[in-house]
Amino acid sequence: MAAISASTYPAAGVSPFSQRRATSSYRGIRNLSRILAVSTERGGRGTGFGENGKHEKQKLNQKVVKEESEVKPNIYANPEKIPEFEEDKKWLRDYFEECKEMIRSDGGPPRWFSPLECSSSTSPDCPLLLFLPGIDGTGLGLIMHHHKLGKMFNVWCLHIPVQDRTPFNELVKIVERTVRSENYRSPNRPIYLVGESIGACLAISVAARNPDMDLVLVLSNPATSFSQSQLQPLIPLLEMMPDQFPINLPYIFSLATSYFANMLLNFLGCISNSNPLRVLMDNVVKRGPLPQIIGELSQDLATMSSYLPVLADTVPRQTLLWKLNLLKSGSACGNSCLHAVKAQLLILCSGRDQLLPSQEESQRLQKALPDCEIRMFEESGHFLFLEDNVDLVTIIKGASFYRRGKHFDCASDFMPPTPSEFKKLHDSISWVLTATSPVMLSTLEDGKVVRGLAGIPSEGPVLFVGYHMLMGFEVIPLVAQIMMERNILVRGIAHPAMFVRVKDRRPPEPELSDFDVIRVMGAVPVSAANFYKLMSSKSHALLYPGGVREALHRKGEEYKLFWPDKSEFVRMAARFGAKIIPFGVVGEDDFAEIILDYNDLMKIPWRREEIERVTSRTAKLRDEGGAKGEEEM
């Protein structure tokens, strides 16, 4: 075998959820407020729904499953017509609108709430996701992701009221009680902790205190770097100001210093180091003619100004001082217990974070933590989750961090790409399609060859077996065209190098994030176990028996096969009655000429050392000798 190249429940110690509704509307969509849990300090246990509610929810889940099993139109057929964002996605304005509502009725100690849009579509077997907020404390930081997160997780968000003064160690205990309670209820499912700045410090502290628990941490710009940040000087500044001085967060932001002005724009999700209007322009330029652009831009600027009072209510002066001291203690606590963290971590860091040195901090944390990955967002600011172009669900899927059990299962844990995810993929490969203009032919059951892919069986299991062309570029238009024409997702069986986490990667080794797109599209590392799972789940799978040696072939080896003597995949396919579809590709080896191949590069000393280093760190898939056993990368 070879490879491709390339519904919520109350937390522990809380009484049942109470429900509030609001009638505010935005963009013609009616907004509903949160399902809120009562204080985490109160006793009692209950279900968030009565018996009737439970039966209604079961009926709803059964209805959803029935509807999904019915034949649906091909949603991938016209990528150009697929909206860039889902219809039910919320925006930055919704964040401020719901902040106003939440602050208006605020009070009491910290507590959990579950967004309504996450409660109706969540399957009972989905893992729990706890969102730990940043400096704003509202718990609404994931509002732009609720519509997608709710299909994969049971989402709870921690709300810390504006006037609350719970110290950091007590916040850790609140989160820890919930984590332990839910782990007791579902010991075989992971618990996700998504933390932003100070929330990331909370997640690290909880994980360190529970090293034997199955936790997955997704941390955005962790505040463990607070001691190195530009926020530190604010503490003595706020402490020395007299109480009569009218100073609060928007007042500070209004000072004529570029630092505070950029800080405000960062918070509004519209940050750009040199041009604060960059993101605003990006959002409107592609949505209409010039008059409409100017009108929407003016409206957005006016709206941004109107939300300054919301910032004042969210983080008033005394709260700001408290939050900065909370950041200081949280950073110290998180750093002191890094050695005890055993959880799986995914760190999201912004390249233009003006509040914290997030890039340097992510590198430090990766070296200090045993199971840690990084995803970099070069053009993003500190408040990563409030930016339009950041999709948390796609990030988690691309990093292979989504699982429902103790270990990732390539069959049961896989979530097919959404239409918007496929659109982004298609847009990124449009240059390949333009440059190659691929023509695809298939054979019908009667032996007739037709243009198009009508000959591909709709029902699996199906195994595509083909020749690996130069660098495996042919897989890009092949998989995309099958989705567009037949609504079939072909799952590639890929080389382990695209999945193995290596901390000290150096050029020419690619970053693991370079392969996120193939994982979103369903690729799995090559192994007998994964092949078995794909066939048993009746999937359409793609296998290149020639592997790396065939994809990285040398001069004079155009169209040459490097298949193993034993076709080990045939027996597995036969066991499940899979249809094997052999395919060939013509043209890829003709449009490019190899100038330097492996034999030439091995004669260059420094290149030879790099090749040998990369090859030694790469899993070997075959033990055969000779040319067929060569797997130099």
Side-chain angles (χ1 to χ4, degrees):
M1 191 180 302
I4 297 177
S5 64
S7 320
T8 58
Y9 302 92
V14 302
S15 50
F17 289 111
S18 60
Q19 183 172 333
R20 299 188 291 117
R21 289 180 179 266
T23 58
S24 60
S25 62
Y26 170 64
R27 294 187 181 179
I29 300 176
R30 189 178 181 86
N31 285 330
L32 298 178
S33 64
R34 317 287 103 195
I35 297 179
L36 294 176
V38 182
S39 166
T40 55
E41 300 302 315
R42 298 185 183 180
R45 179 91 193 172
T47 61
F49 314 91
E51 289 300 318
N52 293 334
K54 184 184 296 183
H55 294 319
E56 290 298 323
K57 186 173 183 181
Q58 291 175 350
K59 291 179 181 179
L60 177 62
N61 289 334
Q62 292 172 358
K63 181 180 179 181
V64 171
V65 172
K66 181 179 179 181
E67 290 177 351
E68 290 181 348
S69 64
E70 296 175 354
V71 177
K72 295 182 178 181
N74 187 358
I75 56 178
Y76 307 104
N78 297 300
E80 298 82 4
K81 297 181 180 180
I82 296 176
E84 187 174 356
F85 302 105
E86 283 77 6
E87 183 179 358
D88 49 357
K89 177 182 173 70
K90 290 191 175 182
W91 306 89
L92 186 64
R93 294 177 183 177
D94 297 288
Y95 167 80
F96 282 110
E97 290 291 344
E98 299 201 14
C99 277
K100 286 198 298 186
E101 180 195 346
M102 184 167 285
I103 294 170
R104 188 181 302 121
S105 59
D106 213 353
R111 55 194 180 272
W112 299 102
F113 70 88
S114 177
L116 281 174
E117 57 267 38
C118 295
S119 303
S120 59
S121 59
T122 305
S123 172
D125 65 341
C126 288
L128 176 66
L129 185 150
L130 302 178
F131 174 60
L132 310 178
I135 193 170
D136 67 306
T138 61
L140 295 171
L142 293 182
I143 190 170
M144 299 172 69
H145 309 270
H146 288 164
H147 65 296
K148 293 184 69 174
L149 287 172
K151 300 173 184 177
M152 299 170 56
F153 297 97
N154 289 303
V155 181
W156 296 7
C157 305
L158 181 64
H159 172 62
I160 305 174
V162 173
Q163 302 301 328
D164 180 77
R165 297 297 181 262
T166 303
F168 183 81
N169 62 328
E170 291 300 319
L171 292 175
V172 172
K173 292 178 182 179
I174 289 173
V175 178
E176 185 178 34
R177 281 197 297 269
T178 302
V179 167
R180 289 183 175 180
S181 172
E182 295 307 312
N183 181 71
Y184 179 80
R185 287 165 46 88
S186 304
N188 296 321
R189 291 184 203 155
I191 296 177
Y192 285 72
L193 301 180
V194 177
E196 180 181 51
S197 63
I198 183 65
C201 297
L202 272 174
I204 289 173
S205 301
V206 171
R209 291 161 63 105
N210 299 273
D212 298 327
M213 200 172 295
D214 187 9
L215 300 177
V216 180
L217 274 56
V218 181
L219 311 180
S220 172
N221 299 319
T224 46
S225 62
F226 180 75
S227 61
Q228 308 297 323
S229 75
Q230 302 179 67
L231 293 174
Q232 280 246 67
L234 280 178
I235 296 178
L237 173 66
L238 293 174
E239 289 176 340
M240 65 184 283
M241 291 290 183
D243 293 338
Q244 296 81 4
F245 199 79
I247 184 170
N248 54 28
L249 188 61
Y251 182 87
I252 291 177
F253 288 157
S254 67
L255 298 177
T257 63
S258 60
Y259 168 70
F260 288 122
N262 283 331
M263 194 172 172
L264 170 60
L265 290 167
N266 194 328
F267 188 89
L268 292 174
C270 304
I271 182 64
S272 174
N273 282 344
S274 58
N275 182 7
L277 302 180
R278 177 185 58 83
V279 176
L280 286 177
M281 289 300 296
D282 287 346
N283 288 340
V284 299
V285 161
K286 48 193 174 185
R287 294 181 186 170
L290 185 59
Q292 180 182 351
I293 293 171
I294 297 174
E296 292 186 6
L297 180 58
S298 302
Q299 182 180 359
D300 285 342
L301 290 173
T303 302
M304 288 165 56
S305 301
S306 69
Y307 286 128
L308 283 176
V310 182
L311 281 177
D313 293 337
T314 304
V315 192
R317 181 233 177 131
Q318 291 301 322
T319 298
L320 177 60
L321 178 59
W322 170 261
K323 290 293 179 69
L324 290 175
N325 281 299
L326 198 66
L327 280 170
K328 184 176 180 180
S329 60
S331 175
C333 182
N335 282 304
S336 67
C337 61
L338 282 178
H339 64 281
V341 176
K342 307 300 180 185
Q344 186 180 7
L345 274 94
L346 177 62
I347 297 179
L348 315 179
C349 63
S350 299
R352 299 194 176 189
D353 187 348
Q354 297 184 358
L355 305 187
L356 299 169
S358 295
Q359 283 185 303
E360 297 82 358
E361 183 66 5
S362 63
Q363 298 294 332
R364 184 183 76 89
L365 292 176
Q366 187 180 44
K367 293 178 181 178
L369 298 167
D371 188 6
C372 179
E373 280 193 47
I374 296 176
R375 293 298 181 269
M376 173 65 69
F377 301 86
E378 295 288 353
E379 300 299 319
S380 295
H382 178 75
F383 298 94
L384 190 65
F385 296 138
L386 293 177
E387 298 194 12
D388 287 351
N389 61 337
V390 175
D391 190 327
L392 180 57
V393 166
T394 304
I395 295 168
I396 292 174
K397 288 162 61 175
S400 294
F401 265 61
Y402 183 70
R403 53 187 173 89
R404 295 182 178 91
K406 292 187 177 296
H407 304 285
F408 175 75
D409 187 300
C410 66
S412 61
D413 290 333
F414 175 65
M415 302 292 290
T418 63
S420 61
E421 288 171 342
F422 179 70
K423 176 182 177 61
K424 291 177 182 178
L425 167 70
H426 187 269
D427 292 346
S428 68
I429 66 171
S430 59
W431 69 272
V432 178
L433 304 180
T434 301
T436 60
S437 299
V439 175
M440 301 190 187
L441 309 174
S442 62
T443 306
L444 303 179
E445 290 186 3
D446 60 4
K448 181 181 179 181
V449 177
V450 296
R451 182 162 181 160
L453 300 170
I456 294 177
S458 300
E459 300 296 328
V462 173
L463 178 63
F464 294 85
V465 179
Y467 161 67
H468 230 340
M469 296 291 284
L470 183 62
M471 299 294 293
F473 277 119
E474 78 287 339
V475 74
I476 298 175
L478 177 63
V479 172
Q481 190 63 31
I482 292 176
M483 286 194 72
M484 291 187 291
E485 190 172 331
R486 297 298 311 277
N487 200 19
I488 294 173
L489 176 62
V490 177
R491 305 195 59 186
I493 303 175
H495 196 282
M498 300 181 183
F499 301 86
V500 176
R501 300 182 176 100
V502 179
K503 283 194 174 184
D504 55 339
R505 287 178 181 264
R506 291 179 295 171
E509 294 176 279
E511 293 292 333
L512 193 60
S513 59
D514 295 339
F515 303 112
D516 283 2
V517 64
I518 74 161
R519 289 190 287 270
V520 171
M521 294 299 293
V524 301
V526 59
S527 71
N530 286 339
F531 191 20
Y532 178 93
K533 291 174 182 177
L534 292 179
M535 292 294 98
S536 62
S537 61
K538 298 183 178 181
S539 301
H540 287 67
L542 172 62
L543 176 70
Y544 288 111
V548 169
R549 180 63 182 89
E550 195 170 81
L552 305 180
H553 56 254
R554 301 160 194 174
K555 297 176 183 177
E557 294 180 349
E558 294 82 2
Y559 298 106
K560 183 177 179 181
L561 295 180
F562 290 88
W563 287 21
D565 294 333
K566 296 180 181 179
S567 300
E568 60 268 30
F569 61 86
V570 175
R571 182 176 299 176
M572 183 77 75
R575 176 174 181 175
F576 293 97
K579 299 179 179 68
I580 299 179
I581 301 180
F583 68 92
V585 184
V586 177
E588 190 168 327
D589 268 342
D590 300 311
F591 75 73
E593 182 177 352
I594 300 176
I595 299 175
L596 294 175
D597 65 4
Y598 169 80
N599 296 324
D600 298 319
L601 295 175
M602 290 297 285
K603 297 175 183 178
I604 305 173
W606 63 274
R607 287 293 291 157
R608 180 175 65 250
E609 293 176 2
E610 289 180 344
I611 293 173
E612 291 174 347
R613 173 172 54 84
V614 174
T615 301
S616 66
R617 290 151 57 103
T618 304
K620 300 296 185 296
L621 302 180
R622 297 176 184 160
D623 297 325
E624 303 174 28
K628 294 179 181 178
E630 296 174 0
E631 294 186 68
E632 288 79 359
M633 302 298 287

